[in-house]
Amino acid sequence: MIDQKSVEILQIIEANGRLDSEKIAKLVDLSVEEVNQSIKELEQKNVILSYSAVIDWAKLPVQEAVTATIDVKVAPKRGVGFDEVAERIYRFPEVRALYLMSGAYDLSVVVEGKTMQETARFVSERLSTIDSVLSTTTHFQLKTYKHDGVIFKEPDTDKRIVVSP
């Protein structure tokens, strides 16, 4: 069972994974040792799965990856539902995320490739050929405005005119 202090630690780490244990300890009113122990236990229980950074790749002189969200209609298998086909899909290295959805489509697959053609080939040659996949609809990401709660925008500069006597 995870206590309230552990939940508070998780919320802090999720918002800023770079905070050190001392700062987290002050925020949740625990000792540094208690915070470290709690984090270690959460990692061992696979509650904390990974640590990552949100990067604005558009600001770097490197080739940006092409990201697509693919809506997938699936015929679930008796006894295993969507889990079996989901496992086949998430094992592809191109797949960055996979979600079971309600609505018109069953699965939402986030795929990353070097080019639109590479991503399209993945959909046509690998994803749509899976027996349980009935149909796909691909949406290419054109621009990122916000990701994981982080807004991708330059800070506003002060546009006031300096007036001096």
Side-chain angles (χ1 to χ4, degrees), residues 64-104:
E64 286 184 68
V66 174
T67 303
T69 301
I70 305 157
D71 298 326
V72 183
K73 187 85 172 140
V74 176
K77 292 191 175 184
R78 188 176 304 253
V80 292
F82 297 100
D83 294 345
E84 186 177 286
V85 70
E87 185 174 346
R88 282 192 66 191
I89 293 170
Y90 71 61
R91 293 195 179 279
F92 289 118
E94 297 89 344
V95 175
R96 305 292 295 154
L98 175 62
Y99 307 97
L100 178 62
M101 305 296 288
S102 64

Side-chain angles (χ1 to χ4, degrees), residues 19-31:
L19 278 183
D20 61 35
S21 297
E22 278 185 38
K23 289 180 184 172
I24 296 171
K26 287 178 186 173
L27 290 169
V28 297
D29 195 30
L30 291 174
S31 71

